[in-house]
Amino acid sequence: MTNKNFILQRICNFAGKEFDPSSDKEVETVLLNKFNIALPQRRTLDESVAAVASDHEILDLILQYRAMK
């Protein structure tokens, strides 16, 4: 099983900076500013990210990270 810290490290490497993938606001900001990914309107951020997860590997990593306890 993949370690949560390892996933966090990969996310931050993709983003080129450290941020909190648990923070909706930070995720939205990084995705828009760094990757030019505008998330579709959904009930939750996780649903929005899942809707476009095939667009970039970081999206799948964010979902994995947010699903881990």
Side-chain angles (χ1 to χ4, degrees), residues 6-62:
F6 178 71
I7 293 175
L8 176 60
Q9 182 181 27
R10 289 187 65 203
I11 290 169
C12 292
N13 284 342
F14 271 116
K17 69 177 204 165
E18 291 193 19
F19 74 101
D20 181 9
S22 298
S23 166
D24 290 358
K25 183 70 172 161
E26 289 186 46
V27 168
E28 290 173 353
T29 300
V30 167
L31 292 179
L32 186 58
N33 294 340
K34 175 72 176 180
F35 301 100
N36 200 30
I37 298 173
L39 296 174
Q41 191 78 28
R42 299 290 192 271
R43 289 185 313 145
T44 67
L45 183 73
D46 289 349
E47 289 176 3
S48 296
V49 171
V52 294
S54 64
D55 291 352
H56 197 287
E57 188 175 350
I58 193 171
L59 299 170
D60 187 47
L61 290 170
I62 290 170

